[in-house]
Amino acid sequence: MAHSRTRHRVGLIGTGFMGKAHAFGFISAPRVFDLPVDVELHTVADTDLAAAHVAARAFGFAHATADWRDITRNPEIDIVSITAPNALHKEMSLAAIAAGKHVYCEKPLAPLADDAREMADSAERAGIRTQVGFNYLCNPMVVLAREMIAAGELGEIRGFRGLHAEDYMADADGPFTFRHESAGGGALADLGSHALATAEFLLGPIAEVMGDCVTMIGERTDGKGVRRPVDVDDVGRAFLRFASGASGSIEGNWIATGRKMQHDFDVYGSKGALSFSQERFNELHYYSVGDAPGRQGFRRIEAAPEHPPYGRFCVAPGHQIGFNDLKAIEVAGYLAAITGDRPEPFNFRAGLRIQTLVEQVRRSARERRWLSVEN
Amino acid sequence: MAHSRTRHRVGLIGTGFMGKAHAFGFISAPRVFDLPVDVELHTVADTDLAAAHVAARAFGFAHATADWRDITRNPEIDIVSITAPNALHKEMSLAAIAAGKHVYCEKPLAPLADDAREMADSAERAGIRTQVGFNYLCNPMVVLAREMIAAGELGEIRGFRGLHAEDYMADADGPFTFRHESAGGGALADLGSHALATAEFLLGPIAEVMGDCVTMIGERTDGKGVRRPVDVDDVGRAFLRFASGASGSIEGNWIATGRKMQHDFDVYGSKGALSFSQERFNELHYYSVGDAPGRQGFRRIEAAPEHPPYGRFCVAPGHQIGFNDLKAIEVAGYLAAITGDRPEPFNFRAGLRIQTLVEQVRRSARERRWLSVEN
Amino acid sequence: MAHSRTRHRVGLIGTGFMGKAHAFGFISAPRVFDLPVDVELHTVADTDLAAAHVAARAFGFAHATADWRDITRNPEIDIVSITAPNALHKEMSLAAIAAGKHVYCEKPLAPLADDAREMADSAERAGIRTQVGFNYLCNPMVVLAREMIAAGELGEIRGFRGLHAEDYMADADGPFTFRHESAGGGALADLGSHALATAEFLLGPIAEVMGDCVTMIGERTDGKGVRRPVDVDDVGRAFLRFASGASGSIEGNWIATGRKMQHDFDVYGSKGALSFSQERFNELHYYSVGDAPGRQGFRRIEAAPEHPPYGRFCVAPGHQIGFNDLKAIEVAGYLAAITGDRPEPFNFRAGLRIQTLVEQVRRSARERRWLSVEN
Amino acid sequence: MAHSRTRHRVGLIGTGFMGKAHAFGFISAPRVFDLPVDVELHTVADTDLAAAHVAARAFGFAHATADWRDITRNPEIDIVSITAPNALHKEMSLAAIAAGKHVYCEKPLAPLADDAREMADSAERAGIRTQVGFNYLCNPMVVLAREMIAAGELGEIRGFRGLHAEDYMADADGPFTFRHESAGGGALADLGSHALATAEFLLGPIAEVMGDCVTMIGERTDGKGVRRPVDVDDVGRAFLRFASGASGSIEGNWIATGRKMQHDFDVYGSKGALSFSQERFNELHYYSVGDAPGRQGFRRIEAAPEHPPYGRFCVAPGHQIGFNDLKAIEVAGYLAAITGDRPEPFNFRAGLRIQTLVEQVRRSARERRWLSVEN
C-alpha cells in the first residue's frame, strides 16, 4: 500500500491562547482527517524563552526559541503559524513569505486594511498558501447553514442578524492593555469581525454599511497605575446591505456582562429560517414553512455524522465537538490547500476583506454616514 | 363594611383581536385586583353589526351598534375603548374627548406624530384620563427588570439590544392590506414601536437615533387581484443613544419567518445583565457579577408572587400568566388612574412619545443620518 | 337572532388559591367561549366570613357566608364548586349531590378511593354532572399531544416518562400542616396524581404499577412548637405498565428544590417523540423520524390558533395563555357537559380512577411488589 | 532543565468508534496536560487488517495487525487499550494482565459481574494499573457537581434522577446484532450503566435497587434474513436507595426516538439543586436557596477555567470542550495513575461495581422485588 506522504515542518510563533489552539490543530488535523501529510512540530517561539520551552515539551516541538526570526529564516520550516500580538502580524508574515513559507496567521490579519492588503498581495505574488484564523466558519453547523441557504432550502434570503458578544472587557477596573490603544483595535475588530465574516459566509458580499462605534469605559489604569484614555470601541454595530438585496445588522461587544461566547446569528428567508448560537455550537435551529400546519416550529438539529466533518471526530450523533476541534478542521482545510487538493478556506485575501469591512464600518461610524464597500 | 364603589360604563369600538383583549381586560381587572370600581360593559360597536351583536352576547355588553358615534355621544358611557384601524384613532379619540369621556386607545396612538400630539393636547386640556395599549410593559418580569435597573442591581447601564420580530407578513403571496399603505405604517411602527417603548421604559429617554428601514416585499396583490406597490417597511432598525450615555439598538421585523412573538431585550450593566424574551415571558434571565467565581451564570427567574402583580393571578410561583392577563394588568392600572389613585400608566403623552421616536427613526432612515430626539 | 340561554347559579366553597381559580374560570369561560349560558355568581362560602365577603366583592358573588351548607341547601344554586380542604370533599359533595346540584370538586376527589367511589356512585345515581379539577389536561398543547398520538403521528407508542416536581415542602423548617397528616396525602397524591392522569390521558389505561414512596423530612414542627412525625411521602415514584404494552414511569416530588411547576412528560413512539414541560406550557417539542436526514430535531411548536381552543383566547400565535386560562377551558368543558352538548371532561368516575391509581402505587410501595390495576 | 520523562508504548485493540476515541485520547492527553510522559503509539489491531492499517496510518501507530495477541504478547508494549466487542474484554484483559501490562478497557468491563470480578482480582494481584471508560465522569461540569455536593453547597442531598437515553435501537427494522443476544447486554447495561455510575459518583454508594427491564422490540431480522428473538432489554429502569438515605431513580433507554446523547441528571438538596444534560455538557444548572428572594432561579454555569481541567483546553470561558476532550481527560488521569501520581480514576474494581449494580437491577427486575447491594 504505497501511499506517498508529504512532510510539513511547522514553526509556531506565540504560545498563548491561540498558540496552543494552533498546536492542537496541527497535532489533531492529520489524524482526525487521515490526511496524506506528516506534520512535524519543528520550532516554537516565544519572547519568554521559558514559555517557549514549556510549550515545546508540552506539544512536542523539537526546538524552542525566543526569537521568531529563528523560524522565518530556518530553511527546514515549511509553514509558519503566527499567533503573536496583532501589531506584529505584518512584519512576521512578510518575513515568512519572503522566505517562501506558507503562512497561517491569526485574525485580524493586520490592524489596518492597507497592511493586510500588502500581506495578501505579497503572498499571492510569492505563490504560497495562506490562512487566517476564522475558525467559527469551520463549524459543521455553520457549514450546514451555508449549504441550506445555497440549496434554496430557506427560499429567498431576506434578513440577517449577527452578534458576537463577550465580557472580557466589562470590568472597568481591568487593566489598560495593548488592545486598548492599538490602531485598528476594539470590539468591532476583535469580535464584530467574526460577525461580519459569518454574514458574508452565509449571505454573500456586503455592499453598504452604516456603523456605530461606542466607547463606554473611557479610561483604564495601566500597569504603572496611570490612568490612560481608551480610544477603541467597546461596542461596534453596523447596519448591512448585501449585494443580493438582503439587509441585516451585526454587533461586536466586549463589555456584554455575562456573555462568554455569544457568536449568534439569525437568517430569515421566504421559506424558512435559521437560528444559531456559538454558546451551543453543536446545534442549528431550523424553521421550515413547509412543515404541516400546527406542527411548525424551530427544530433543534444536533451535530451528527450527516454534517461533515463531524463524523471524523465521532461516529455517533449528538456527542459534540469542542472549540479545539474547530481549529483542527481549520488546519485540515489549510493543509489540504497546501497539498493542492482544495482552495484555501480563508486566505489572506479573505482576511483583507474582513479588515476592509471593519474599516468601512469604523469610518462610517466616525463620519456618521453610510458607506459603500467595493466588491 | 361600607365600601363606596364607583361605576364605569365602557363603550368598546372594534371587536377583533384587540377588541376582545380589551373586553377581557375590563372583565378581569376589577376582579383580579379587587378594585373599588364596578365596570359595566355598556355598548360595543363594529361596522359589521352582526359581529357587534356576537361580541355583545359573548362579553356581556348591553348594547350593540354599527355606528361608533353611538358610543362617543352616549352620555351614559364613561370610558371609550378604541381598537379600530389606526387611521380612525384620531377622529374617534377627539370625539370621545370632546364628550368628556376617558379614552383608552390601542397603539399606535395615530399613524403620524402630529395627530398624536393633537390627541394628547386635547386630552390634557379636557382633563380626562387616557391610556395607550403597550401591554408588554405590564409584564411583572419587565417591571422587575425596570426595578432592578432603578435599584442599581446591574450597576451602571451600558447597553441595550431590543427586538420585536414576528412573521405575519413573511408570505409574499399574502394580500395587500391597509397595513401596507397607511401613512406611518410598517414593521417599525407596528413592532419596532414596542422595542422603542421597552428601551425607554428600562433605560430612560433616547436622545439620538439612526434608522434603517427596508422594504423587502415590494409588491402585493390586493383583493381585486391588482398588484400594488408596498411603501411601508418590512424591517425597521435603529441605533440608539440614550440621554444617560448608554447606547443600544432595536429592530422591528414582520417578515421574520418562524417568529411569532419575539419581543426580546438584553441589558448590560457594570454589575449584571438581563435577558428576556416574550416567547417565554414568565421568565427573566439575570446574571450577577457578584455571584461566587465558578458559580456565575444567567439565572432563569420564574414569575412568582414576589413579582407583583403576579400574585393577584396565582399565589403559587411558576404557574404563568397569559397574554390576556397582561391586558388585565393594563386595564387595572388605567382604572386606578381614572379613580385618581395612581398616575396614568401609559397615557396619550407617552403614546405620542413613541410615535415621535418612530417618526424620527423613519426620517433618519430616509435621510440616512443621525437625528436627535427632543426630551 | 333568538338564542335561548340557560342560566346557572354557582356556589363556591373556599376562597384560597383554587377558590380564586374557580371564580376566574366561571367568569371567563362563558365569555371566552361564547357559550349559550349565563353564569351567575350566587354565593361564596369561607369559614372566615371576612374572607368570604372580600371574595364576594372581588369576584361579584351576590352573597357571602361562613357556612357552606348555605350553598348546598339553597334551592337557587345549580352548581357547587368545592375547593375546601381535601378531607371535606366527600361530605360537601354528597350534600350537594343529595340536593340535586352539579358538583365541581378540586382534586383529589377524596383522600381515599373508597370515598371517591361513593361520591362517583352517588353522582351517577343522581344524574347530576360532575367535574374534578385536572386542568393541566385542558392545555391545548397537551390535547395536541393526545391527538398526535391518537392519529398515529408517533407510530407505535413505546414509552412514557412523567414528572410533577415542585418545592413547596423542601424547607424542613416549614410548618407541619394538614397536608402532612391526612390519610391519603403526600407528594404522590398531590403531584404524582397529575403525572398519572397525564399518563392515562396520553397512553390509555395503566395495567400494572410498582411504587416507591419516600419520606425524607420525617418530622416537622406544628403551630404550637411541637415536633410531629410526618407520615406522608415527600417523593412518590412508580413504574408503569400500560394495557397497550407500553411501559413508563412517573414521579411526584414536593421537595424538588428550585422547581415550581415541573409537570413534564416525554413520549417515545416508533415514528416520533414528544417532550413537554409545564414550565413552558405553551410549547410542545416534537421529533419526527420522517424529517429529511440531517434536518431532524425536536421542533418547538408554539401554541397557536391551530391548537384549539387557544384561538378563543388570542387569534395570534405565540402570545401564550396562562394558568387561569386553563381553568377557563376546564369550566367551559364542564358547562358544555351540563348543558348536554358534550361528555363530562373529567368527572367523578375519572377522579376515582386517579385515586385508585394513587392508592395502588402507594400500596405497591408499602408491600414492595408490583400490583395490577383493574380496568 | 532536566525533566525525566517516562515512555509508554500503547497497543490498541479495535478501530471503531471507541478505538478512535482512545487513539485521540492518547495523542491529546500528554500535550493538553503537559504530562511528563511520552506516549508512543506502538501497534493497532483489528480483525480487519486493512482497517488496522488505515488506523495505523491515520493515528500514527508504528504497526498494524489482525491478531490482538500480537499486542498482549509484545514485551515492548506497556499499555493495552481494549475497545473490542464486550464479550472479548475478559480474555483480552487477562492476557494483557498476565503479561504485566496496564489495561484500559472500554465499558462494560464484562457482560457478567463474575467475569468482571475475576478481571479486577487479577489486575490487583498483578499490581498493574487499570481503567474502565466512563468518560462522562471526566466532564469538568460533572466534577464540579460532585465538588459542590461534597462541599455542602446543596445542603443535605435528598434526591437523584438520572437518565441515559439514545435512539440507535429505535428502528424496529434495524438489524439483529451481537448487542441483542449477548448475555448481560441491553439498554440497562449499555446506557443505564452510565446513569448508575453518575449516581454513585455524585451521591455515594447505592444500597438497594428495584429494577424494571422491558423489551419492546421482541424480534429483529439478522443478516441472513432470519427473524430472531431479542432477549435484552430496550429500556431498563431502577429505583435507588443510597446508603446516605437519599432516594432516586435511573433509566437507560436505547429506543428513545430523537434522543442522541441524553445523559441527564437532577440532584435535589436542602439548600440547592443541580440539573445537567449531556446534550449540552458544557453547562451545569444550579439553583441556590441562598439567592435573594425574587432573584432565585436555575443558573446556567458555562464551563470555564474555574472548572479544571477545562482551562487546559482553552483559557477562555464558554468556548466548550468536545466528546474527544473528555476522553483526553480520562487518559490523562489514567497516565497519572500509571506514573504513580494519582489514584486510578475508574479502575477495574470500579468497573466491577457498575456491573454488580447492573446485574442486581436486572435480577431485581426479573424477580420483581427490591434487592440490596453489598457495599
Side-chain angles (χ1 to χ4, degrees):
Chain A
M1 195 167 77
H3 193 98
S4 105
R5 300 173 69 91
T6 61
R7 167 170 298 266
H8 297 293
R9 291 182 188 83
V10 175
L12 170 65
I13 306 175
T15 66
F17 181 6
M18 277 300 137
K20 283 183 187 171
H22 279 228
F24 287 143
F26 279 110
I27 291 164
S28 301
R31 295 171 169 90
V32 171
F33 290 92
D34 191 14
L35 299 175
V37 294
D38 287 318
V39 169
E40 190 180 314
L41 300 181
H42 189 285
T43 301
V44 58
D46 197 297
T47 50
D48 174 351
L49 184 61
H53 275 292
V54 166
R57 192 188 62 213
F59 299 119
F61 285 88
H63 311 282
T65 175
D67 181 1
W68 60 266
R69 292 182 188 279
D70 287 343
I71 288 175
T72 54
R73 68 190 165 206
N74 189 329
E76 290 180 354
I77 290 174
D78 307 296
I79 301 172
V80 178
S81 238
I82 301 172
T83 68
N86 305 341
L88 303 173
H89 288 182
K90 182 183 174 185
E91 184 184 6
M92 292 170 173
S93 291
L94 293 182
I97 292 167
K101 300 184 191 314
H102 302 299
V103 186
Y104 174 19
C105 183
E106 254 319 295
K107 62 151 288 257
L109 188 48
L112 300 176
D114 281 347
D115 292 323
R117 183 172 297 107
E118 190 179 337
M119 295 160 75
D121 289 345
S122 296
E124 289 172 10
R125 277 194 305 266
I128 55 93
R129 299 293 178 191
T130 56
Q131 176 82 357
V132 188
F134 274 88
N135 48 286
Y136 302 124
L137 305 181
C138 298
N139 181 349
M141 303 317 276
V142 176
V143 172
L144 172 63
R146 174 153 131 148
E147 290 175 352
M148 291 176 75
I149 290 169
E153 294 185 43
L154 305 188
E156 179 200 26
I157 302 303
R158 294 166 174 167
F160 174 84
R161 200 179 316 113
L163 175 66
H164 195 125
E166 303 196 20
D167 69 357
Y168 54 88
M169 293 296 182
D171 182 358
D173 296 330
F176 185 95
T177 72
F178 80 90
R179 290 179 184 273
H180 298 106
E181 64 178 340
S182 67
L188 178 68
D190 250 31
L191 303 183
S193 56
H194 286 297
L196 289 164
T198 297
E200 290 208 328
F201 185 73
L202 296 176
L203 275 78
I206 292 166
E208 242 188 327
V209 298
M210 171 72 213
D212 179 30
C213 293
V214 184
T215 306
M216 289 302 298
I217 301 173
E219 281 189 343
R220 289 179 183 267
T221 304
D222 69 12
K224 298 170 186 164
V226 179
R227 295 294 285 174
R228 299 185 51 178
V230 173
D231 293 327
V232 301
D233 59 278
D234 291 315
V235 185
R237 302 179 184 90
F239 299 142
L240 308 176
R241 208 65 86 246
F242 294 87
S244 69
S247 75
S249 68
I250 61 100
E251 177 178 328
N253 190 331
W254 68 18
I255 57 169
T257 302
R259 296 301 180 182
K260 309 306 174 188
M261 179 33 78
Q262 195 183 17
H263 179 81
D264 294 0
F265 65 78
D266 283 83
V267 177
Y268 297 114
S270 57
K271 294 185 186 170
L274 297 175
S275 186
F276 171 85
S277 176
Q278 186 75 18
E279 290 185 346
R280 290 163 171 174
F281 74 80
N282 284 273
E283 303 175 9
L284 180 66
H285 296 251
Y286 165 46
Y287 184 98
S288 171
V289 301
D291 285 342
R295 304 291 181 274
Q296 300 183 342
F298 277 89
R299 268 179 235 177
R300 183 164 70 94
I301 304 174
E302 296 178 84
E306 289 93 335
H307 313 119
Y310 173 92
R312 284 283 177 180
F313 295 90
C314 184
V315 297
H319 283 54
Q320 300 160 54
I321 59 174
F323 177 78
N324 287 331
D325 296 328
L326 299 182
K327 214 68 191 176
I329 299 172
E330 185 174 88
V331 170
Y334 182 43
L335 290 174
I338 288 175
T339 56
D341 294 359
R342 296 205 324 207
E344 294 154 303
F346 207 94
N347 61 18
F348 277 16
R349 187 63 55 193
L352 163 62
R353 170 67 182 179
I354 300 302
Q355 284 311 103
T356 303
L357 289 169
V358 165
E359 288 200 7
Q360 281 298 78
V361 170
R362 192 186 294 122
R363 186 177 146 215
S364 161
R366 201 169 52 239
E367 301 182 0
R368 294 168 70 89
R369 63 189 182 95
W370 283 84
L371 293 177
S372 61
V373 183
E374 279 183 45
N375 282 298
Chain B
M1 194 165 78
H3 194 98
S4 106
R5 300 173 71 89
T6 61
R7 167 170 297 267
H8 297 293
R9 291 182 189 85
V10 174
L12 170 65
I13 306 176
T15 65
F17 180 6
M18 277 300 138
K20 284 182 187 172
H22 278 228
F24 288 143
F26 278 111
I27 290 164
S28 301
R31 294 171 169 91
V32 171
F33 289 90
D34 192 15
L35 299 175
V37 294
D38 286 317
V39 169
E40 189 179 314
L41 300 181
H42 190 285
T43 301
V44 59
D46 196 298
T47 50
D48 174 351
L49 184 60
H53 275 292
V54 167
R57 194 187 62 215
F59 298 119
F61 284 88
H63 311 283
T65 177
D67 182 2
W68 60 267
R69 292 182 186 278
D70 288 343
I71 287 175
T72 54
R73 69 188 163 208
N74 188 328
E76 290 180 353
I77 290 174
D78 306 298
I79 301 172
V80 179
S81 237
I82 300 173
T83 69
N86 304 341
L88 302 173
H89 287 182
K90 182 184 175 186
E91 183 183 7
M92 291 170 173
S93 291
L94 293 182
I97 292 167
K101 300 182 190 319
H102 302 299
V103 186
Y104 174 19
C105 184
E106 254 318 297
K107 64 151 287 256
L109 188 49
L112 300 177
D114 281 347
D115 293 323
R117 185 173 296 104
E118 189 179 338
M119 294 161 75
D121 290 346
S122 295
E124 288 171 9
R125 278 194 303 268
I128 55 92
R129 299 293 178 191
T130 56
Q131 176 82 358
V132 187
F134 274 88
N135 48 285
Y136 301 125
L137 305 181
C138 298
N139 182 348
M141 303 317 275
V142 176
V143 172
L144 172 63
R146 174 152 129 149
E147 290 175 354
M148 291 175 75
I149 290 169
E153 293 185 44
L154 306 188
E156 178 200 24
I157 302 303
R158 294 166 175 168
F160 174 85
R161 200 180 315 112
L163 175 66
H164 194 126
E166 304 195 20
D167 69 357
Y168 54 88
M169 294 296 182
D171 182 359
D173 296 328
F176 184 94
T177 71
F178 80 90
R179 289 178 184 274
H180 298 107
E181 63 178 341
S182 67
L188 177 69
D190 251 31
L191 303 182
S193 56
H194 286 297
L196 289 164
T198 297
E200 290 208 328
F201 185 72
L202 296 176
L203 276 77
I206 292 167
E208 242 189 328
V209 298
M210 171 73 211
D212 180 30
C213 293
V214 183
T215 305
M216 289 302 298
I217 302 173
E219 280 189 343
R220 289 179 184 266
T221 304
D222 69 13
K224 299 170 185 165
V226 179
R227 294 293 286 174
R228 298 184 52 179
V230 173
D231 293 327
V232 301
D233 59 277
D234 291 316
V235 185
R237 303 179 183 89
F239 299 143
L240 308 176
R241 207 65 86 248
F242 294 87
S244 69
S247 75
S249 68
I250 60 101
E251 177 178 328
N253 189 331
W254 68 17
I255 56 168
T257 301
R259 296 301 179 183
K260 309 306 174 188
M261 178 36 76
Q262 195 183 16
H263 179 82
D264 294 0
F265 65 78
D266 283 82
V267 178
Y268 297 114
S270 58
K271 295 186 186 168
L274 297 174
S275 186
F276 172 85
S277 176
Q278 186 75 18
E279 290 185 345
R280 290 164 170 172
F281 75 80
N282 284 273
E283 302 175 9
L284 180 66
H285 296 252
Y286 165 47
Y287 184 96
S288 171
V289 301
D291 286 341
R295 305 291 181 273
Q296 300 182 341
F298 276 90
R299 268 180 234 176
R300 182 164 70 95
I301 304 174
E302 296 180 83
E306 289 92 336
H307 314 117
Y310 173 92
R312 284 283 176 180
F313 294 90
C314 183
V315 297
H319 283 55
Q320 300 160 52
I321 59 173
F323 177 78
N324 288 330
D325 296 329
L326 298 182
K327 213 68 190 174
I329 299 173
E330 184 174 88
V331 169
Y334 183 41
L335 290 174
I338 288 175
T339 57
D341 294 0
R342 297 207 322 209
E344 294 154 303
F346 207 94
N347 62 18
F348 277 17
R349 187 64 54 193
L352 163 63
R353 171 67 183 180
I354 301 302
Q355 284 311 104
T356 303
L357 289 169
V358 165
E359 287 199 7
Q360 281 299 78
V361 169
R362 194 186 292 122
R363 187 177 145 214
S364 160
R366 202 169 52 238
E367 300 182 359
R368 295 169 68 91
R369 64 188 182 96
W370 282 85
L371 293 177
S372 62
V373 183
E374 278 183 43
N375 283 300
Chain C
M1 195 163 75
H3 193 96
S4 107
R5 298 172 71 89
T6 60
R7 168 169 295 267
H8 297 293
R9 290 184 189 84
V10 174
L12 170 65
I13 305 175
T15 66
F17 182 5
M18 277 300 139
K20 283 183 187 172
H22 279 227
F24 287 145
F26 278 110
I27 290 163
S28 300
R31 294 171 169 92
V32 170
F33 288 91
D34 192 14
L35 300 175
V37 294
D38 286 319
V39 168
E40 191 181 312
L41 300 181
H42 190 285
T43 300
V44 58
D46 196 297
T47 49
D48 174 349
L49 184 60
H53 275 292
V54 167
R57 192 186 63 214
F59 299 119
F61 285 87
H63 310 283
T65 177
D67 180 2
W68 60 267
R69 293 183 186 277
D70 288 342
I71 288 175
T72 53
R73 67 189 164 208
N74 188 329
E76 290 180 354
I77 290 173
D78 306 298
I79 301 171
V80 178
S81 240
I82 300 172
T83 70
N86 304 341
L88 303 173
H89 287 182
K90 182 182 175 187
E91 183 183 7
M92 291 170 173
S93 291
L94 293 182
I97 292 167
K101 300 183 191 317
H102 302 299
V103 186
Y104 175 18
C105 183
E106 255 318 297
K107 63 151 289 258
L109 187 49
L112 300 177
D114 281 346
D115 292 322
R117 184 172 296 107
E118 188 179 338
M119 294 161 74
D121 290 347
S122 296
E124 288 171 10
R125 277 195 303 267
I128 56 94
R129 299 294 179 192
T130 56
Q131 176 82 359
V132 186
F134 273 88
N135 48 284
Y136 300 125
L137 305 181
C138 298
N139 182 349
M141 304 317 276
V142 176
V143 171
L144 172 62
R146 174 153 131 146
E147 290 175 354
M148 292 175 75
I149 290 170
E153 294 185 43
L154 305 188
E156 178 201 24
I157 303 302
R158 294 166 175 166
F160 174 86
R161 200 181 314 113
L163 175 67
H164 194 125
E166 304 196 20
D167 70 355
Y168 53 89
M169 294 296 182
D171 182 358
D173 295 329
F176 184 94
T177 72
F178 80 90
R179 289 178 185 275
H180 299 106
E181 63 178 341
S182 67
L188 177 69
D190 250 31
L191 303 182
S193 56
H194 286 297
L196 289 165
T198 297
E200 290 208 327
F201 185 74
L202 296 176
L203 276 77
I206 292 167
E208 243 189 325
V209 297
M210 171 73 212
D212 179 30
C213 293
V214 183
T215 305
M216 289 302 298
I217 301 173
E219 280 190 341
R220 289 178 183 267
T221 304
D222 69 13
K224 297 171 185 162
V226 179
R227 294 294 284 175
R228 297 184 53 179
V230 173
D231 293 327
V232 301
D233 58 278
D234 290 316
V235 185
R237 304 180 182 90
F239 300 142
L240 308 176
R241 206 66 84 247
F242 294 87
S244 70
S247 75
S249 68
I250 60 102
E251 177 179 328
N253 189 331
W254 67 17
I255 57 169
T257 302
R259 297 300 180 182
K260 309 304 174 188
M261 177 36 77
Q262 196 184 15
H263 179 83
D264 294 1
F265 66 77
D266 284 82
V267 177
Y268 297 114
S270 57
K271 295 185 184 169
L274 298 174
S275 186
F276 171 85
S277 177
Q278 185 75 17
E279 290 185 347
R280 290 165 170 172
F281 75 79
N282 284 273
E283 303 176 8
L284 180 66
H285 296 251
Y286 165 46
Y287 184 97
S288 170
V289 301
D291 285 342
R295 305 291 181 274
Q296 301 182 340
F298 276 89
R299 271 180 230 174
R300 182 166 69 96
I301 304 174
E302 296 180 84
E306 289 91 338
H307 314 117
Y310 174 92
R312 285 283 176 179
F313 294 91
C314 183
V315 297
H319 283 53
Q320 299 160 55
I321 59 174
F323 176 78
N324 288 330
D325 295 329
L326 298 182
K327 214 67 190 176
I329 298 172
E330 183 174 88
V331 169
Y334 182 42
L335 290 174
I338 288 175
T339 57
D341 294 0
R342 296 205 324 207
E344 294 154 304
F346 207 93
N347 61 19
F348 277 16
R349 187 64 54 192
L352 163 62
R353 170 69 182 179
I354 301 303
Q355 284 311 104
T356 303
L357 289 169
V358 165
E359 288 199 8
Q360 282 298 78
V361 170
R362 193 185 295 121
R363 187 177 144 215
S364 159
R366 201 170 50 239
E367 301 182 0
R368 295 168 70 90
R369 63 188 183 98
W370 282 84
L371 293 177
S372 62
V373 183
E374 280 183 42
N375 283 299
Chain D
M1 195 166 73
H3 192 96
S4 106
R5 299 172 70 88
T6 61
R7 167 169 296 265
H8 297 292
R9 292 184 189 82
V10 174
L12 170 66
I13 306 175
T15 66
F17 181 5
M18 277 301 138
K20 284 183 186 172
H22 279 227
F24 287 144
F26 279 110
I27 290 163
S28 300
R31 295 170 169 91
V32 171
F33 289 91
D34 192 14
L35 299 175
V37 294
D38 287 317
V39 169
E40 189 180 314
L41 301 181
H42 190 286
T43 300
V44 59
D46 197 298
T47 50
D48 174 352
L49 184 61
H53 275 292
V54 167
R57 192 187 63 214
F59 298 119
F61 284 87
H63 310 283
T65 177
D67 181 3
W68 61 266
R69 292 181 188 278
D70 288 343
I71 288 175
T72 54
R73 69 189 164 209
N74 188 328
E76 291 181 353
I77 291 174
D78 306 297
I79 301 172
V80 179
S81 238
I82 300 172
T83 69
N86 304 342
L88 303 172
H89 287 182
K90 182 182 174 186
E91 183 184 6
M92 293 170 172
S93 290
L94 293 182
I97 291 167
K101 301 184 190 318
H102 302 298
V103 186
Y104 175 19
C105 183
E106 255 317 298
K107 63 151 287 262
L109 188 48
L112 300 178
D114 280 347
D115 292 323
R117 184 172 296 107
E118 189 179 337
M119 295 160 75
D121 289 346
S122 297
E124 288 171 11
R125 277 194 304 268
I128 56 92
R129 299 293 178 192
T130 57
Q131 176 83 357
V132 187
F134 274 89
N135 48 285
Y136 301 125
L137 305 181
C138 298
N139 182 347
M141 303 317 276
V142 176
V143 172
L144 173 63
R146 174 152 131 146
E147 290 175 353
M148 292 176 75
I149 291 169
E153 294 186 44
L154 305 188
E156 178 202 25
I157 302 304
R158 294 165 175 168
F160 175 84
R161 199 181 315 113
L163 175 67
H164 195 125
E166 304 196 19
D167 70 355
Y168 53 88
M169 294 296 182
D171 182 359
D173 296 330
F176 185 95
T177 73
F178 80 90
R179 288 178 185 275
H180 298 106
E181 62 178 340
S182 65
L188 177 69
D190 250 32
L191 303 182
S193 56
H194 285 298
L196 288 164
T198 297
E200 290 208 328
F201 185 72
L202 296 176
L203 276 77
I206 292 167
E208 242 188 327
V209 298
M210 170 73 213
D212 179 31
C213 293
V214 183
T215 305
M216 289 302 298
I217 301 173
E219 282 189 342
R220 290 180 182 267
T221 304
D222 69 12
K224 299 171 184 163
V226 179
R227 295 292 286 174
R228 297 184 53 179
V230 173
D231 292 327
V232 301
D233 58 279
D234 291 316
V235 185
R237 302 179 183 91
F239 299 142
L240 308 176
R241 206 66 85 246
F242 294 87
S244 69
S247 75
S249 68
I250 60 101
E251 176 179 328
N253 189 331
W254 67 18
I255 57 169
T257 302
R259 297 300 180 182
K260 310 304 175 190
M261 179 33 77
Q262 194 182 16
H263 179 82
D264 294 0
F265 66 78
D266 284 81
V267 177
Y268 297 114
S270 57
K271 295 185 186 169
L274 297 174
S275 186
F276 172 85
S277 176
Q278 186 74 17
E279 291 186 345
R280 290 164 170 172
F281 75 79
N282 283 274
E283 304 175 8
L284 180 67
H285 296 252
Y286 164 47
Y287 184 97
S288 171
V289 301
D291 287 342
R295 305 291 180 274
Q296 301 182 340
F298 277 90
R299 269 180 233 175
R300 182 165 70 94
I301 304 174
E302 296 179 82
E306 289 92 335
H307 313 118
Y310 173 92
R312 283 283 175 178
F313 295 90
C314 184
V315 298
H319 283 54
Q320 299 160 55
I321 58 172
F323 176 78
N324 287 330
D325 296 329
L326 298 182
K327 214 68 192 175
I329 299 172
E330 185 175 87
V331 169
Y334 182 42
L335 290 174
I338 288 175
T339 57
D341 294 359
R342 297 203 324 204
E344 295 155 303
F346 206 95
N347 61 18
F348 277 15
R349 187 64 54 193
L352 162 64
R353 170 69 181 177
I354 301 303
Q355 283 311 105
T356 303
L357 288 169
V358 165
E359 289 200 8
Q360 282 300 77
V361 170
R362 192 185 295 121
R363 187 177 146 216
S364 160
R366 201 169 52 239
E367 301 183 0
R368 294 167 70 88
R369 62 188 183 96
W370 282 85
L371 293 177
S372 61
V373 183
E374 278 182 45
N375 283 300

